[in-house]
Amino acid sequence: MTNEKQTQKKTYQFKAEVAKVLDIVINSLYTDREIFVRELVSNAADALEKRRHYDLINGRGPDSEESLEISIGVDKDKKTIVFTDNGIGMSRDELIENLGRVAHSGAADYLKKVAESNKKDVNLIGQFGVGFYSAFMVADTVTVESCSVDEPDQAWRWTSSGSSRYTVESTDKTRPGTDITLHLKKDAESFADESYIKETIKKYSNFVSFPIRINDERINTIQAIWARSQQDVKEEEYKEFFKFMTPFASDPLDWLHFSTDAPIDLKALLFISSDNPEIAGFGRLETNVHLYSRRVLIQRQAKDLLPLWLRFLSGAVDSEDIPLNISRETMQDSALIRKINRVLTKRILKHLKEMADKKPDQYKTFWENHGHFLKEGIVTEFSDRDALAELLRFESSMTEPGQLTSLAEYVERMPESQKEIYYLAGADRNAIESGPYIEVFRQRGIEVIYNFDPVDDFVMHHLAGYKDKKTVSADSEKLDLPDTLPKTNDDDEKETSKPAPDDVKALTDWIRSKLQDKVADVKASDRLVDSPMILVNPDGAMTGAMQRLMEAANKDFTMSAKRNLQFNPKHKIIQKLNQLRAEDQQKAVLILEQLYDHAALDAGLSVDTRPMVNRVTQIINSMLGD
Ligand code: ADP
Ligand code: MG
C-alpha cells in the first residue's frame, strides 16, 4: 500500500551548496550552454549502465531485458526537451539525495571561479558532480520523473525552478527509468531544435554505447567498438570508425585493440594512420586519442594519456577505473593517468616490435611514414630507449641500397672482437661511400650504419649504446676498431715508403703550427687509405651532422668545438707536401690550408668559401707558371 503522506506533494529546501551552484549556473554562466545535452545524456548512460549491471546480477540476461536506450524528445512548439532513459531510476529518497545536494565539495568554488573568469569555460561542470544542474542553464523549470527498478510500481516527480526549493510528489509513470523535462527559458528557446541537438550529441556523445534517439530517429550509428571484444568487430567497422574519428580518408595502416584488467582496467583501440601530415609539412600533429570511462567521454585528445612522440596514434581509451567526475586538473598529475600512459606505451612498443618481426613490409611502410616519431622518442624519453632502439632501421654499408637493417641484425653480423656500433652521417649513400671516413671500415670489413636523416646523429648519440655495444660516430678520433684483417704483404711494402719517424714528428709539428687556429691537435694516423687527411671528433664532441643541425636551428650557434686533424704519412700528397715545405714554405702553407678545407668539407663543416676560392686561384696561377 502506498503511504498517504508520501504521495502528497512536498516542498524541500536545497542544501546550501546546491543553492549556491544553482545561483551561479542560472545567473552567471551563459557560454557553452549546450553542454547540458552531454551532461544529461551522460547521466542517462550511467543509469543504463547501472541498469545493465542490476539486470545481470539479478539473473536477467541480455535477452530478457527491454532494450536499454536513451531517447530525446524535442518540441519546438512547447519549447521543451525531454531526456528519457530506461535505466536504473531513482526512488523518492534517491531523488532527494541525488538532486538535492552536491557530492563534490569543491563544486561551488569551481563554478564561482568559472563565473568570475573571462573565459567562462563550463566544460568541466560534469566533472564536479554537478552535471545535472547544467539543465538550469537553459531551463527555468526542470521536472524529473523517475521510477526505480527496485520499486517498479511507484514513480516520483521532482520539480524545481532553480530557486531555493524543489518539490517531490507521486506520479504514475509505469516503467523503471527517468524522464527529465526541460522547460526552456526565453533566451534558450532556440535549443529546442532537433538538428542542433543532434549535432551536439554527435559532438559529445556519439560513442555512448546505448542507442540514442531524437524524436524517434536513431542518431548514434557508430558503436563504442573499442569496448567490444576484438573477435566481434569486423575489419570494415574498424576502418569506418577510424575514418569517422580522424581527418584521414585512407584506411589505417594498422590498429591495436586490446583490453586488460591488471594493473588497471583498460580497453583501448589505437590506430596507426597510413598518412603522416607532419612529414608532409602540414604542421605538428595533435594527439587524437580520447579518454572514456564506461563509454562516456571524459576528455577529447587527452594529452597526458600518451607520450608526445606517440602523437601519430588515434583512437579511444576506456577505463572503468577513471571516475566519471575526474577533473582535468587532477588528471594531469594523476597517478592513474600515468599508469595508463605506461601500459599503453608498453603495449604499442610491443605491437610495433611484432609488426617488425612478422610483417616486415608493413613495418617498412610504417617506418618510412612514422619513423621520425620513434627517433623523437629516443631523444626525448629515456625510459623507452631500449625498446625503441629495437625499432630503428637504417641503411648500412652491408645493406643493398634502399634496404634497411636493424641494430640487432647489425650486432649479429659483427665479428666477436668488435665492441662498438659505427654510424656515419651523409646526404646519401654515394656521399658517404666516397668520403674519407669510411676508408678504414671498408678496409677492415667493418659494417657502418648510414645516417641519411639529419637527426640520425642525435638519435645515435642519445642512444649511447645498444645492448652492451657503444654507438660511435665513424668520424670520432677514438675508435676501438677490431683487427679483423691480418696484415698483408701489401702493408709491409707501404711501410717501407713511410717517412722515418723523426720526419713524421717534424711534419706533425709544422702542420700543428700552421693550423693552430683551426684544429685542436694534429696526429699522424694509419686509419686513412686514399685520403691525405681528415678531421676527427675528440671525445664527446658533436659530429659534423649534429653541428649542421644546430646551426640550421639557431643562427647564432657558434659553439663549434675544434676538431683533431689526422693525416696519412704514407699518402703521396703528404709526402710531397713534406718535401715542399723545405723548398717553398709559402706554397706549402697554401696547399696545407687547402687540404684542411677539403677535410672540413668532408667532415660536413661549413667552410668559408671566399678565402678558399682565392687560394685555389693562387694555386692555379702557380701551376700555370705565373
Ligand atoms: P554525477 O553524474 O557526477 O554524479 P550529476 O549532477 O550529473 O552528478 O548527477 C547527480 C546524481 O543524480 C547522479 O550521480 C545520479 O545518482 C543521479 N541521476 C542523475 N540523472 C539520472 C538518471 N537519468 N537516472 C538515474 N539517476 C540519475
Ligand atoms: Mg553527471
Side-chain angles (χ1 to χ4, degrees):
M1 254 338 275
T2 314
N3 184 319
E4 187 70 26
K5 247 188 195 163
Q6 281 192 353
T7 56
Q8 276 171 8
K9 186 165 177 170
K10 267 191 86 178
T11 303
Y12 300 83
Q13 288 294 122
F14 277 119
K15 292 261 163 29
E17 70 272 11
V18 176
K20 218 152 110 189
V21 165
L22 281 174
D23 179 55
I24 298 167
V25 163
I26 292 165
N27 296 314
S28 313
L29 301 175
Y30 301 103
T31 52
D32 300 328
R33 294 197 289 177
E34 85 230 19
I35 62 120
F36 76 91
V37 178
R38 179 185 69 187
E39 293 310 324
L40 297 182
V41 166
S42 131
N43 284 350
D46 284 350
L48 291 170
E49 205 64 65
K50 286 177 195 158
R51 170 73 185 272
R52 181 146 69 190
H53 187 247
Y54 178 93
D55 285 351
L56 280 174
I57 56 173
N58 286 291
R60 289 182 233 165
D63 296 334
S64 64
E65 83 194 28
E66 54 184 317
S67 80
L68 298 176
E69 60 176 29
I70 300 165
S71 65
I72 301 170
V74 182
D75 192 324
K76 236 186 178 115
D77 300 330
K78 285 198 208 145
K79 316 287 181 214
T80 58
I81 305 177
V82 186
F83 293 81
T84 300
D85 67 71
N86 50 350
I88 193 85
M90 283 178 276
S91 66
R92 180 176 171 280
D93 288 348
E94 282 167 338
L95 276 169
I96 293 169
E97 170 70 16
N98 296 337
L99 308 183
R101 43 162 271 174
V102 175
H104 194 295
S105 57
D109 288 344
Y110 158 74
L111 282 176
K112 193 155 168 270
K113 271 201 207 109
V114 171
E116 284 162 1
S117 76
N118 311 326
K119 220 190 127 243
K120 308 209 164 119
D121 179 3
V122 296
N123 264 300
L124 295 177
I125 200 163
Q127 295 163 11
F128 279 88
V130 292
F132 169 74
Y133 302 114
S134 67
F136 289 96
M137 292 168 81
V138 294
D140 45 28
T141 305
V142 177
T143 309
V144 181
E145 294 196 299
S146 201
C147 169
S148 164
V149 278
D150 280 327
E151 301 168 12
D153 33 53
Q154 252 187 350
W156 301 95
R157 181 193 288 129
W158 178 102
T159 308
S160 176
S161 52
S163 62
S164 56
R165 286 185 292 274
Y166 61 94
T167 58
V168 181
E169 65 198 298
S170 151
T171 181
D172 47 11
K173 189 175 155 55
T174 53
R175 64 164 197 175
T178 305
D179 308 333
I180 298 178
T181 306
L182 312 189
H183 301 271
L184 296 171
K185 296 181 191 179
K186 264 248 141 351
D187 70 354
E189 286 176 356
S190 59
F191 284 101
D193 177 65
E194 203 179 312
S195 55
Y196 181 80
I197 300 295
K198 208 188 288 181
E199 283 317 303
T200 311
I201 297 275
K202 289 212 159 137
K203 185 165 162 196
Y204 292 115
S205 314
N206 199 41
F207 301 121
V208 165
S209 66
F210 300 97
I212 302 175
R213 292 176 198 281
I214 295 185
N215 292 357
D216 273 339
E217 184 197 349
R218 168 85 181 266
I219 49 160
N220 61 334
T221 47
I222 306 232
Q223 291 266 334
I225 69 171
W226 66 87
R228 283 155 60 188
S229 114
Q230 218 181 327
Q231 297 91 301
D232 298 345
V233 186
K234 294 194 203 74
E235 191 161 322
E236 270 318 307
E237 291 180 280
Y238 283 120
K239 290 178 179 170
E240 194 188 333
F241 180 53
F242 172 76
K243 285 175 195 167
F244 181 87
M245 73 172 319
T246 69
F248 303 120
S250 52
D251 286 339
L253 178 73
D254 195 17
W255 56 84
L256 166 62
H257 187 188
F258 71 93
S259 62
T260 61
D261 301 325
I264 29 174
D265 170 89
L266 211 55
K267 297 180 179 64
L269 172 56
L270 299 168
F271 290 97
I272 299 169
S273 61
S274 304
D275 312 279
N276 180 358
E278 207 166 291
I279 225 172
F282 293 119
R284 202 175 164 83
L285 280 176
E286 295 274 353
T287 172
N288 195 30
V289 176
H290 311 313
L291 177 65
Y292 294 81
S293 174
R294 278 154 272 191
R295 277 142 277 178
V296 175
L297 182 63
I298 300 295
Q299 192 181 25
R300 292 183 71 77
Q301 306 197 314
K303 277 204 191 67
D304 307 307
L305 222 46
L306 288 163
L308 195 59
W309 62 269
L310 279 170
R311 63 186 174 279
F312 60 93
L313 296 171
S314 331
V317 172
D318 198 316
S319 173
E320 301 206 352
D321 291 345
I322 293 186
L324 276 169
N325 57 359
I326 190 171
S327 80
R328 281 183 208 167
E329 282 80 2
T330 50
M331 255 176 66
Q332 267 161 24
D333 42 35
S334 138
L336 183 66
I337 298 292
R338 274 200 299 278
K339 223 193 248 172
I340 295 178
N341 184 315
R342 285 314 304 155
V343 172
L344 292 175
T345 307
K346 282 216 182 95
R347 285 300 284 251
I348 291 150
L349 286 166
K350 191 173 143 224
H351 181 77
L352 291 174
K353 180 73 171 57
E354 279 166 13
M355 193 204 291
D357 291 344
K358 292 178 193 151
K359 300 179 195 163
D361 289 343
Q362 188 186 42
Y363 188 75
K364 192 159 185 259
T365 309
F366 167 79
W367 175 254
E368 277 156 10
N369 283 297
H370 302 297
H372 81 103
F373 291 113
L374 305 191
K375 292 175 186 175
E376 183 183 319
I378 288 195
V379 175
T380 57
E381 205 86 14
F382 184 77
S383 46
D384 299 314
R385 210 164 274 175
D386 290 346
L388 280 165
E390 300 290 349
L391 298 171
L392 294 173
R393 294 295 180 272
F394 301 99
E395 286 195 32
S396 87
S397 55
M398 292 195 185
T399 65
E400 295 295 318
Q403 298 301 306
L404 303 175
T405 182
S406 66
L407 292 177
E409 290 160 341
Y410 176 103
V411 167
E412 204 158 296
R413 284 188 291 265
M414 273 165 62
E416 212 165 298
S417 57
Q418 187 178 335
K419 296 182 203 70
E420 299 171 330
I421 295 171
Y422 299 104
Y423 60 92
L424 188 55
D428 52 37
R429 191 167 261 270
N430 188 41
I432 291 178
E433 292 184 345
S434 59
Y437 294 103
I438 201 84
E439 287 174 8
V440 67
F441 297 92
R442 191 189 291 130
Q443 190 197 33
R444 301 196 192 188
I446 299 167
E447 182 170 5
V448 175
I449 284 167
Y450 292 170
N451 287 355
F452 301 144
D453 182 348
V455 304
D456 283 347
D457 267 24
F458 268 109
V459 173
M460 290 306 231
H461 178 79
H462 274 269
L463 198 58
Y466 171 78
K467 300 279 158 82
D468 54 344
K469 317 283 184 198
K470 250 170 77 177
T471 43
V472 176
S473 176
D475 63 357
S476 303
E477 165 152 57
K478 280 211 197 82
L479 299 172
D480 197 356
L481 289 174
D483 262 328
T484 49
L485 290 179
K487 265 193 181 171
T488 59
N489 289 341
D490 194 35
D491 283 334
D492 285 339
E493 249 167 59
K494 275 190 186 159
E495 205 71 43
T496 51
S497 62
K498 192 174 171 176
D502 258 6
D503 221 352
V504 171
K505 179 162 189 317
L507 178 59
T508 307
D509 291 344
W510 179 76
I511 294 177
R512 190 181 290 124
S513 73
K514 298 302 168 199
L515 293 179
Q516 60 183 357
D517 293 343
K518 293 177 170 166
V519 299
D521 197 16
V522 177
K523 264 191 202 137
S525 153
D526 59 359
R527 72 179 270 175
L528 292 168
V529 183
D530 299 320
S531 307
M533 60 175 65
I534 54 172
L535 293 174
V536 293
N537 298 323
D539 238 3
M542 268 188 238
T543 65
M546 281 162 78
Q547 193 167 316
R548 261 199 320 277
L549 206 64
M550 298 294 277
E551 283 167 356
N554 175 7
K555 268 211 237 69
D556 303 328
F557 182 81
T558 50
M559 201 208 80
S560 45
K562 279 188 190 168
R563 270 143 233 271
N564 292 348
L565 185 140
Q566 292 190 349
F567 66 95
N568 178 1
K570 298 184 239 170
H571 199 281
K572 233 163 119 188
I573 289 180
I574 296 297
Q575 292 182 338
K576 289 245 167 86
L577 180 67
N578 195 27
Q579 284 166 22
L580 187 63
R581 75 187 169 93
E583 294 155 15
D584 187 340
Q585 181 71 238
Q586 212 187 338
K587 205 187 265 178
V589 170
L590 210 59
I591 286 171
L592 174 65
E593 283 179 342
Q594 188 60 30
L595 288 175
Y596 169 82
D597 271 4
H598 292 175
L601 286 172
D602 278 333
L605 304 176
S606 43
V607 168
D608 196 353
T609 49
R610 203 58 243 167
M612 175 156 146
V613 170
N614 287 342
R615 199 185 306 120
V616 172
T617 307
Q618 283 186 58
I619 293 171
I620 291 171
N621 279 338
S622 89
M623 276 177 65
L624 296 177
D626 181 41

